[in-house]
């Protein structure tokens, strides 16, 4: 069974909005590119899908825009070619190597997890909350940035029940950020 990993940048005060002062540096982009390389497919809600597509989709010209720095290209290329599943009731025809995930969320994601492969990855804010409430996330990965945002959406805000986690990995970055990987307590090691 493929584990489902939730990965996101977060500030020290729990903000997980992409505009909360979480600028990527070369080291963290290498880290995220390697993490994306460990999965078979990604799951997005519509908002995250559209945001990621506008930022990381390779232009038709084949040339990355000038605003994408050289150190970000491996991440962009990995995400661009990844298989994507989009959970949305309003999007009708996704592109960018994506398809809509049909049916009830829990059973649909369970079917994806049962398919052969390495792992699934989910990012964003709303969809991971629903998946956490359903007990479908096998691994949580937070890159905690040394920033206090003071506002914005908070990580898993509104979670129905407490989820006890156990630390399974930790890495410090030169920027002061710390990647922390957890799994729900009592579960076997996820991929």
């Amino acid at each position: 069974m493929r584990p489902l990993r939730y990965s996101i940048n977060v500030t020290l005060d729990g903000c997980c909005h992409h505009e909360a002062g979480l600028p990527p540096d070369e080291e963290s982009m290498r880290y995220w590119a390697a993490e994306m390389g460990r999965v078979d497919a990604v799951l997005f809600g519509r908002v995250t899908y559209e945001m990621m597509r506008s930022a990381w989709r390779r232009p038709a010209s084949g040339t990355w825009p000038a605003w994408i720095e050289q150190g970000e290209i491996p991440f962009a290329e990995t995400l661009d070619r990844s298989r994507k599943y989009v959970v949305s009731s309003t999007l009708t025809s996704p592109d960018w190597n994506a398809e809509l995930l049909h049916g009830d969320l829990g059973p649909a994601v369970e079917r994806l997890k049962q398919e052969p492969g390495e792992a699934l990855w989910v990012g964003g804010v709303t969809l991971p909350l629903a998946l956490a409430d359903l007990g479908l996330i096998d691994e949580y990965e937070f890159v905690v940035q040394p920033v206090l945002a003071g506002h914005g959406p908070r990580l898993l805000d509104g979670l129905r029940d407490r989820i006890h986690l156990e630390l399974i990995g930790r890495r410090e970055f030169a920027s002061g950020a710390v990647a922390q990987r957890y799994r729900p307590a009592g579960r076997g090691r996820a991929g």
Side-chain angles (χ1 to χ4, degrees):
M1 178 159 78
R2 295 190 290 185
L4 176 59
R5 295 185 178 113
Y6 173 37
S7 301
I8 194 164
N9 286 303
V10 62
T11 64
L12 282 169
D13 57 346
C15 181
C16 48
H17 194 272
H18 70 282
E19 295 176 348
L22 305 174
D25 61 13
E26 195 167 322
E27 184 181 21
S28 67
M29 290 309 295
R30 280 193 310 269
Y31 178 81
W32 285 122
E35 290 302 302
M36 288 298 303
R38 297 176 51 215
V39 303
D40 301 312
V42 297
L43 281 76
F44 290 132
R46 182 192 54 80
V47 171
T48 302
Y49 165 76
E50 289 176 346
M51 180 187 70
M52 297 296 271
R53 182 183 62 188
S54 70
W56 302 110
R57 181 181 191 162
R58 183 186 296 270
S61 68
T63 304
W64 292 105
W67 65 264
I68 293 183
E69 296 180 19
Q70 194 65 31
E72 296 172 331
I73 290 175
F75 173 82
E77 289 177 341
T78 302
L79 183 58
D80 184 61
R81 69 177 168 259
S82 294
R83 182 86 193 122
K84 297 160 196 78
Y85 296 95
V86 183
V87 176
S88 174
S89 61
T90 58
L91 190 64
T92 57
S93 56
D95 55 6
W96 193 39
N97 197 26
E99 67 181 78
L100 287 173
L101 194 61
H102 296 285
D104 289 338
L105 180 62
V109 172
E110 282 288 354
R111 282 190 298 275
L112 285 178
K113 289 175 71 170
Q114 295 299 324
E115 293 177 4
E118 294 299 315
L120 299 166
W121 181 89
V122 63
V125 179
T126 306
L127 178 59
L129 174 61
L131 294 170
D133 274 339
L134 291 169
L136 292 173
I137 298 176
D138 301 295
E139 187 175 299
Y140 294 82
E141 178 177 38
F142 309 122
V143 177
V144 182
Q145 303 289 333
V147 173
L148 295 171
H151 60 52
R154 303 275 181 230
L155 183 67
L156 299 170
D157 194 23
L159 192 64
R160 280 194 317 243
D161 296 315
R162 181 179 305 188
I163 299 173
H164 293 277
L165 302 173
E166 62 181 298
L167 184 67
I168 59 173
R170 185 177 191 280
R171 176 180 170 181
E172 294 183 25
F173 296 91
S175 66
V178 178
Q180 300 172 130
R181 293 176 58 201
Y182 297 90
R183 69 171 169 232
R187 288 197 195 171
R189 186 165 295 275

